[in-house]
């Protein structure tokens, strides 16, 4: 791919994907868990020259990623991470997928077993719009980040930013970087405490590592 083609592809990439790419060191070994159509892996390959691998549950996603020339296999985050050896990757990424796993704690622990670092992003169920829809409407929220109705959603473990912080503490992981993102996927740059991020952040994005 030419430099011009790479720049054109990067211009179409989601803002939060670019932020994830900034967290990944060039030339790293990367596994993207729940990689969908491979858009993030393609960005990491182009921009960071990583050794990119992915697993994706849906056949359609695998087919689209493979069509991009990516090394992606069909797999389930809840069961197939067991097959990878310790320290197989420098980074294991779980982007907008944690809430769709059956056992989020185990998935996160497995990510930190097979990777030196884990990058996790998820929609924040504590966002003020979510709270308003439940409080005033009395129904499960439907938003741009969570566009499903309660009866057809793939998301089975909703969490807030504060919930995730509690899980990070429970498993004894180190938080190297944390971002709350707005509705455009851009970092919220205001110097605010976590409880405020939990209200105004539409997404959480975290870079984690194991404690010594």
């Amino acid at each position: 791919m030419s430099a011009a083609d790479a720049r054109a592809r990067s211009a179409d990439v989601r803002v939060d994907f670019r932020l994830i790419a900034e967290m990944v060191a060039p030339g790293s070994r990367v596994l993207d868990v729940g990689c969908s159509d491979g858009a993030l892996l393609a960005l990491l390959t182009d921009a960071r020259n990583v050794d990119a691998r992915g697993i994706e549950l849906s056949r359609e996603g695998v087919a689209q990623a493979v069509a991009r020339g990516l090394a992606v296999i069909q797999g389930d985050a809840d069961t197939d991470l067991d097959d990878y050896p310790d320290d197989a990757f420098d980074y294991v990424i779980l982007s907008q997928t944690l809430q769709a796993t059956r056992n989020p704690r185990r998935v996160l622990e497995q990510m930190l077993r097979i990777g030196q670092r884990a990058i996790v992003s998820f929609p924040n169920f504590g966002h003020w719009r979510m709270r308003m829809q439940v409080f005033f409407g009395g129904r499960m929220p439907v938003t741009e980040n969570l566009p499903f109705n309660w009866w057809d959603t793939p998301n089975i473990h909703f969490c807030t930013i504060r919930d995730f912080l509690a899980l990070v503490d429970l498993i004894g992981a180190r938080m190297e970087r944390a971002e709350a993102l707005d509705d455009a996927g851009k970092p919220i740059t205001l110097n605010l405490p976590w409880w405020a991020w939990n209200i105004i952040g539409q997404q959480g994005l975290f870079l984690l590592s194991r404690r010594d």
Side-chain angles (χ1 to χ4, degrees), residues 8 14 30 43 47 58 62 76 80 82-83 87 92 102 129 135 142 161 169 174 183 191 193 198 201 206 210-211:
R14 285 170 23 190
V30 175
L43 173 65
S58 73
V62 173
D76 187 336
D80 294 332
D82 294 353
D83 297 333
D87 298 319
V92 180
R102 292 187 296 277
R129 286 198 183 97
F135 185 79
V142 177
I161 288 175
D169 185 61
R174 176 185 291 111
D183 55 357
N191 186 16
N198 197 46
F206 295 84
R210 293 172 296 202
R211 293 191 184 276

Side-chain angles (χ1 to χ4, degrees), residues 123-136:
N124 173 32
F125 203 71
H127 186 264
W128 68 268
R129 286 198 183 97
M130 304 279 196
R131 300 174 188 233
M132 292 299 100
Q133 286 191 38
V134 173
F135 185 79
F136 290 110

Side-chain angles (χ1 to χ4, degrees), residues 79-138:
T79 58
D80 294 332
L81 294 183
D82 294 353
D83 297 333
Y84 291 93
D86 295 355
D87 298 319
F89 299 93
D90 298 305
Y91 298 86
V92 180
I93 300 172
L94 190 71
S95 174
Q96 302 295 312
T97 304
L98 182 68
Q99 71 281 356
T101 62
R102 292 187 296 277
N103 192 334
R105 174 179 176 175
R106 176 166 171 75
V107 169
L108 192 56
E109 289 174 333
Q110 288 287 75
M111 291 172 65
L112 288 168
R113 178 186 66 80
I114 66 178
Q116 296 289 332
R117 289 178 172 83
I119 299 175
V120 183
S121 69
F122 56 90
N124 173 32
F125 203 71
H127 186 264
W128 68 268
R129 286 198 183 97
M130 304 279 196
R131 300 174 188 233
M132 292 299 100
Q133 286 191 38
V134 173
F135 185 79
F136 290 110

